[in-house]
Amino acid sequence: MINDKISVQGISRLLSTATPIEVLETVNSTNTYLKRKVSDFLPDGTTVIALRQTAGRGRFTRKFHSPEECGIYMSILLRPQIPTSEVTLITAAAAVAVCEAIEACSDKSTQIKWVNDVLIDSKKVCGILTEGVINPQSGKFDGVIVGIGINVYEPLGGFPDDIKDIASAIFSKKEAGLRNKLAAQIINRLIKYSENLGKKDFFEDYKNRSIVIGKPITVISGDCKLSATALSIDDKCRLLVEFSDKTQKHLDSGEISIKL
Ligand code: BTN
């Protein structure tokens, strides 16, 4: 049987910069784990990968299904010098890094569902959870944790009922070395983009890959659901939408989610 094992050596030898990598057997959440270490003088790009998460988290406190053998569950620590209001740009950079890495390792085309989901054939193969740790004195970021969860292979027994209609995996067959390759490609690209965040090299690509522009969507904020059309994405990564009464609004990713 083919074994696609994730390992520190397997990833490190494919990295463009010397970046500390830690691989854990099991953890509650790699984001939670790395967040606790933000003040530990860890360098930019420090990455933690778990083979399995017991409490993988998505946006809006949703669960992220993280069984072993079939995914990549990783968190990357960045120390960007940006205003906290621009944190969504990091999610956008990560989404493009994931899309490019998947396309470099497979024959699949990827799209992005604002703000943090990567899709193949309209189904989610990756979710991104970006969490900032703000220094109370300076009001700036001590660090930003970019959590990336990828369904590389379908879990044994399939996806759970609550996500089986919206989730998919990238590959149908296991290949040795694939998860290491994919992880390294993502880390290399995300570090490159984050070093020049102000240049926004990834941003045109982010918009071009958007699956929502021009589409009818449902805007969800707490219990409130409103029909709208997605018009465009602005340079702060906010989604401009038009509601049925023709009023327009820029949606901020922190408060609102959408349904296609
Ligand atoms: C989402 O779909 O809303 C985001 C999912 C993010 C999942 C990843 S898996 C690695 C990291 N650790 C977590 O607990 N969450 C992120």
Side-chain angles (χ1 to χ4, degrees), residues 105-167:
C105 297
S106 74
D107 58 357
K108 302 285 169 68
S109 302
T110 52
Q111 284 185 298
I112 296 170
K113 182 178 155 225
W114 183 86
V115 56
N116 67 324
D117 289 343
V118 174
L119 314 182
I120 292 177
D121 295 331
S122 304
K123 291 202 165 178
K124 176 166 170 171
V125 295
C126 166
I128 298 164
L129 175 67
T130 306
E131 297 183 294
V133 178
I134 297 173
N135 183 300
Q137 265 94 48
S138 65
K140 295 184 177 156
F141 284 126
D142 272 344
V144 172
I145 313 291
V146 187
I148 300 174
I150 307 178
N151 306 325
V152 180
Y153 307 111
E154 187 162 328
L156 221 69
F159 288 101
D161 282 350
D162 56 335
I163 56 168
K164 69 171 195 277
D165 295 333
I166 53 166

Side-chain angles (χ1 to χ4, degrees), residues 28-32 53 55-59 62 64 66 72-75 116-117 124 126-129 147-150:
N28 51 4
S29 149
T30 54
N31 266 34
T32 308
Q53 295 184 119
R57 299 184 283 113
R59 293 172 72 227
R62 290 180 194 132
F64 190 83
S66 317
I72 296 175
Y73 318 115
M74 71 177 174
S75 298
N116 67 324
D117 289 343
K124 176 166 170 171
C126 166
I128 298 164
L129 175 67
I148 300 174
I150 307 178

Side-chain angles (χ1 to χ4, degrees), residues 225-240:
K225 291 185 183 175
L226 289 174
S227 299
T229 303
L231 298 182
S232 58
I233 295 171
D234 77 0
D235 56 4
K236 291 194 178 111
C237 212
R238 294 176 308 175
L239 185 68
L240 179 64

Side-chain angles (χ1 to χ4, degrees), residues 158-213:
F159 288 101
D161 282 350
D162 56 335
I163 56 168
K164 69 171 195 277
D165 295 333
I166 53 166
S168 183
I170 305 170
F171 299 99
S172 51
K173 267 204 244 136
K174 278 201 176 171
E175 206 181 288
L178 204 48
R179 288 191 296 170
N180 287 335
K181 193 168 140 196
L182 202 49
Q185 292 256 356
I186 294 168
I187 297 165
N188 284 339
R189 287 179 157 86
L190 181 56
I191 289 177
K192 187 187 76 188
Y193 288 141
S194 71
E195 280 169 356
N196 286 301
L197 216 52
K199 275 175 70 188
K200 292 195 198 161
D201 286 338
F202 53 86
F203 204 56
E204 275 309 303
D205 197 11
Y206 180 84
K207 291 191 279 188
N208 290 337
R209 288 177 186 276
S210 172
I211 199 173
V212 300
I213 302 305

